[in-house]
Amino acid sequence: MNLDHELSVTGSNQSVDEHRDERRWIEKQNRAARAQRKKEEMNRIRTLVGHVTVTSSHPGTGSCRVHRAQATELQGALGSEDNAYSSDPRIKKFKEEEKARKEAEKKAKADARRKEQEEKEKLRQAELEAARLAKEKEEEEARQQALVLKKEKEIQKKAIKKERQRLRTTCKNWNYFSENEADSVKMMEDVEKLCDRLELISLQSLNEALSGSSKEESKSAVEKQIAEVNAQIKREKEQEEARMRQSTRGAEQSSSGGGGSSKSWSEDDLQLLIKAVNLFPAGTNARWEVIANYMNLHSVSGIKRTAKDVINKAKSLQKLDPQQKDDINKKAFDKFKKEHKVVAQSVDNAIPSERFEAPGADSSTPWTTEEQKLLEQALKTFPVNTPERWEKIADAVPGRSKKDCMKRYKVRCQLHNE
């Protein structure tokens, strides 16, 4: 019994499920059919309205009035929904509120953007103003400090000038502590040396010591101060000479490391090297060989230099500081002037040689092979368009004047033409 009941219930459930699926399928088919029919009806109405509108534009037809009425009726039916939608006050109010809300949001965003830009601009302007004020303050402080320093220097300068004049006046009143004119002149020079070397405090102390002292005491104080200044000058000179010797030894060591360890350079050789470098500038043919030959010809040390030795030494001299270079150049120039003065006297007083040159040659000392090489090299180094050409050529040939070089060149030209 129970089994039969369960079978009946199961069968009924299956029939219900089948009916449900069938209904769903039918509803789906109906929806599709309704949508298709609605689409077709709407297309038919649009076609009809368009046809009626076109037909109404020709008033000569008999059915114009009927078609116009039908078109009006159809258009009214289609637009009734739009009219109702547009005429509803609630919808109008809703649209106006929505538009107002959007405009308000847009305006609020624009205002916020504008305020943000204004804040950024204000901040930037404030930073620029602060930087400008800080710069002006710094410049004003620097200007005030410069004015203070300038005033202090002026005050110190006036004070030093006053103390110097006071020292000169005191020494002058005592006739420079001597009755002999030569001693007075010597003391005057020493007093000027004190004025140049002493600082303000030292001048003030010396003047205070001289103000209430006798002649002998004043002389003793001045001489003591002069001795101290001379000792200081001597120490400075010794330090400078020691520094020069140290730099010279360093240059010698550096040149020795470059391959010239067995050849030392004396001060005369250094000056001769500087002179040769100036006489034969860059661009000279076989420049360093010419400089080496020049040094071997004129060096008193007897050491033969090669082009490599000369190059290494010149490089080491270039590494010296400007002060050392100036000192070496000054010594070289002083020696150069001294040698030329001596050479000029010896040439003027030279005894004419018995050797005869070609016609037109000068009657002075005959030209040696080395001098001829130097002359030829100088002629190549200083071309025709060189200002003061023959003076430079004469400087490049020691012992020969401008006139000698010009005569020698003329003679060589005549021999070459013959």
Side-chain angles (χ1 to χ4, degrees):
M1 183 73 179
N2 293 331
L3 181 58
D4 296 337
H5 178 71
E6 290 178 357
L7 291 173
S8 61
V9 171
T10 303
S12 62
N13 289 336
Q14 291 178 353
S15 62
V16 170
D17 292 337
E18 292 176 357
H19 292 315
R20 185 185 299 116
D21 293 338
E22 185 177 359
R23 282 196 303 272
R24 288 178 179 174
W25 181 82
I26 292 172
E27 289 177 358
K28 183 178 180 180
Q29 293 294 325
N30 291 337
R31 283 196 301 272
R34 283 194 301 272
Q36 183 65 26
R37 289 180 181 179
K38 184 177 180 180
K39 182 178 180 181
E40 293 175 355
E41 185 67 17
M42 291 301 295
N43 290 334
R44 188 183 68 81
I45 292 172
R46 288 190 184 94
T47 304
L48 181 61
V49 171
H51 177 71
V52 171
T53 304
V54 172
T55 307
S56 64
S57 62
H58 303 283
T61 61
S63 60
C64 176
R65 211 173 278 174
V66 176
H67 290 313
R68 186 180 295 112
Q70 291 177 354
T72 303
E73 184 180 355
L74 289 172
Q75 289 177 353
L78 291 173
S80 60
E81 184 180 356
D82 294 336
N83 292 333
Y85 186 79
S86 61
S87 299
D88 192 344
R90 294 171 299 175
I91 295 176
K92 287 183 179 181
K93 183 178 179 181
F94 175 77
K95 287 184 177 181
E96 291 175 357
E97 291 177 353
E98 184 69 15
K99 184 178 180 180
R101 183 183 65 80
K102 291 182 178 180
E103 291 180 353
E105 290 179 356
K106 185 177 180 180
K107 184 178 180 182
K109 289 181 180 179
D111 293 340
R113 245 186 341 263
R114 187 178 65 255
K115 288 181 180 179
E116 184 179 0
Q117 292 178 355
E118 290 177 355
E119 291 295 332
K120 289 182 179 179
E121 184 65 21
K122 287 181 180 179
L123 183 61
R124 190 178 69 85
Q125 293 294 336
E127 291 177 354
L128 292 176
E129 184 67 16
R132 185 183 64 81
L133 293 176
K135 185 177 180 181
E136 289 181 355
K137 183 179 179 181
E138 184 178 355
E139 291 177 353
E140 183 64 24
E141 291 177 354
R143 186 162 48 251
Q144 294 296 332
Q145 187 177 3
L147 290 175
V148 171
L149 292 176
K150 185 178 180 180
K151 290 181 180 179
E152 291 178 355
K153 288 182 179 179
E154 290 178 354
I155 293 173
Q156 187 176 8
K157 186 177 180 181
K158 290 181 180 179
I160 291 176
K161 185 177 180 180
K162 181 179 178 181
E163 295 299 329
R164 287 173 178 173
Q165 187 63 33
R166 182 181 175 187
L167 177 61
R168 293 189 185 100
T169 303
T170 302
C171 294
K172 185 178 180 181
N173 293 336
W174 290 111
N175 197 19
Y176 294 99
F177 311 104
S178 177
E179 300 297 333
N180 188 0
E181 184 176 357
D183 295 338
S184 299
V185 173
K186 181 67 171 59
M187 179 60 69
M188 186 185 302
E189 295 177 356
D190 293 336
V191 169
E192 291 299 325
K193 185 188 299 182
L194 292 178
C195 293
D196 292 336
R197 300 281 301 185
L198 294 181
E199 300 292 337
L200 177 60
I201 298 177
S202 300
L203 285 172
Q204 291 176 346
S205 300
L206 180 59
N207 287 326
E208 290 296 330
L210 295 178
S211 61
S213 303
S214 62
K215 181 178 180 180
E216 295 299 328
E217 293 175 350
S218 300
K219 181 180 180 181
S220 177
V222 172
E223 289 179 347
K224 181 181 178 181
Q225 194 67 50
I226 292 172
E228 292 178 359
V229 170
N230 290 333
Q232 182 181 1
I233 295 174
K234 184 178 179 181
R235 285 194 301 271
E236 292 177 357
K237 186 176 180 180
E238 290 176 353
Q239 292 175 359
E240 182 66 21
E241 291 177 353
R243 187 172 63 86
M244 285 294 301
R245 287 193 298 269
Q246 182 67 24
S247 62
T248 304
R249 284 196 296 269
E252 290 176 356
Q253 292 175 0
S254 61
S255 63
S256 299
S261 57
S262 61
K263 300 177 181 179
S264 60
W265 288 78
S266 63
E267 186 175 351
D268 293 337
D269 289 340
L270 291 177
Q271 295 175 3
L272 186 61
L273 173 61
I274 294 172
K275 177 183 176 182
V277 170
N278 293 328
L279 285 176
F280 306 104
T284 305
N285 294 331
R287 181 191 183 198
W288 296 108
E289 287 77 3
V290 173
I291 293 175
N293 293 333
Y294 180 86
M295 292 194 63
N296 294 333
L297 178 64
H298 297 87
S299 177
V300 296
S301 62
I303 300 176
K304 297 299 181 181
R305 309 286 181 184
T306 63
K308 187 175 181 181
D309 296 337
V310 174
I311 292 174
N312 292 332
K313 192 61 182 178
K315 288 182 179 179
S316 64
L317 290 176
Q318 288 178 353
K319 297 178 182 179
L320 299 176
D321 57 76
Q323 182 64 32
Q324 294 172 347
K325 290 181 181 180
D326 293 340
D327 294 338
I328 295 175
N329 289 332
K330 185 175 182 300
K331 290 181 179 180
F333 182 71
D334 293 340
K335 184 179 179 182
F336 175 78
K337 292 196 301 182
K338 183 179 179 181
E339 288 178 353
H340 272 254
K341 288 180 181 179
V342 174
V343 169
Q345 294 176 359
S346 61
V347 170
D348 293 337
N349 299 328
I351 300 174
S353 175
E354 296 295 331
R355 177 180 174 182
F356 293 94
E357 296 286 340
D362 59 316
S363 58
S364 61
T365 306
W367 283 71
T368 63
T369 305
E370 296 296 335
E371 289 176 340
Q372 181 63 32
K373 289 181 179 179
L374 291 175
L375 176 62
E376 293 175 358
Q377 184 61 49
L379 290 171
K380 296 178 182 178
T381 304
F382 306 107
V384 180
N385 57 355
T386 303
E388 299 180 357
R389 183 193 184 199
W390 288 105
E391 287 79 357
K392 295 179 180 179
I393 292 174
D395 292 338
V397 184
R400 296 296 178 178
S401 63
K402 172 183 174 182
K403 185 177 180 180
D404 295 337
C405 295
M406 293 177 71
K407 285 184 177 181
R408 182 65 177 176
Y409 176 71
K410 185 177 180 181
V411 169
R412 298 300 294 179
C413 290
Q414 290 177 355
L415 292 176
H416 179 72
N417 293 331
E418 292 177 357

